[in-house]
Amino acid sequence: MVELHYPTLSLIVALVNVVGIVVMAALWRINPGLPGPGLWTVAAVCSNVGFLAAALRPLFGNLTSLVDNTWLYAAALLHLEGVLRFKGLAPSRGRWWAGAALVALVGVLAVLNRDDPVQRYRWLDPLVVAVLVATAVALLWRSPERGRAVYAFCALAVLVAAGVFVLRWWLALGAPTGQPLLGHPVVAAVFLSLLLHHVTWICAMSLAVNLRVQADLQALALVDGLTGVANRLRLDDVAASALRRAARRSECVAVVLLDLDGFKAVNDRLGHAAGDQALREVAARAQRGSRATDLVARIGGDEFVVLLEAATADSVALAVERLRQALRRAPLAPDPAVPLGFSLGVAVFPADGADLAALLQAADRRMYKQKREHGQTRPGAL
């Protein structure tokens, strides 16, 4: 039986990891604004530096442990940071400083124990296992339902690698200090597990990036491009689900229709850029004046809708008052000399209609009735 040895395994993993560099660099190039692929590309390069150093051990001896251990550990930390960014965690200077300190610690331990693999494994393997387990947890954290299997598959491969490192650490704890372990089957298994990890990472994270991009594109299709609130398509979808739930639970759903008074004058006198700014300001105030569970949508022109689930007479009255106060806080138009008011109309399911179209019609009738009674230019009419 041919014995697998340390330099050969290191070279094999390095060659396979070249594919990882190419794939991650391509993902980074195609999706330059997406957090994650850039750090994974750098991590793949760091991994190759470490594995190539390990492959050259026969030439440089145990001094290669410094490059091997520090670069591979830096790669593991970059993988973890990339996953955290990909999952939406903001960059943190504290994490960078902590990572740099850990890499420095690994470098010091590698130098101090360069002639003793057993002692080196005793100190370094727990640090590696901690990063791998944290990476697996980060992969599973806030995973979208559509891509949960992909993240779970990748996390499993990471945990397998962590388990093999635990075995090597356990072996080192029971081995005499100074005993050579580079030819031990467990050490070979470490490299095989890392090979599995790299292949799995390339496949799984490529799929994850693809799913993320598709989800982002779908989300953009449901957002009003000017104001950033939901568009009519999103409102139709959410309202349909809300009305079905309300029918099953015998609850009410309220629709608040918001229409701007004098918006044409803003466009005519101040220009369309000012009109766009006014629409963005109205959308922002409507969101601030609504609950987190309410949906604010722009359904066209200068009309907005706020959808309230599990509504009661008191909650609807409170929601309308909060919305009115948010809109009245300051002039809506960029130039206060150009008056821009608003009118509100409310309809409630099931009393005013069985679907969104009927509710919007009822809210529209009430809104224009109030306009006729109070005058169209009166700001904040209900």
Side-chain angles (χ1 to χ4, degrees), residues 228-266:
V229 298
N231 60 14
R232 180 59 186 264
L233 186 62
R234 174 65 172 163
L235 175 64
D236 289 343
D237 182 52
V238 174
S241 300
L243 292 173
R244 285 195 297 269
R245 284 193 298 270
R248 289 196 305 268
R249 301 171 183 173
S250 298
E251 294 178 343
C252 295
V253 175
V255 168
V256 182
L257 182 63
L258 164 64
D259 181 73
L260 297 182
D261 302 329
F263 181 70
K264 184 177 184 301
V266 174

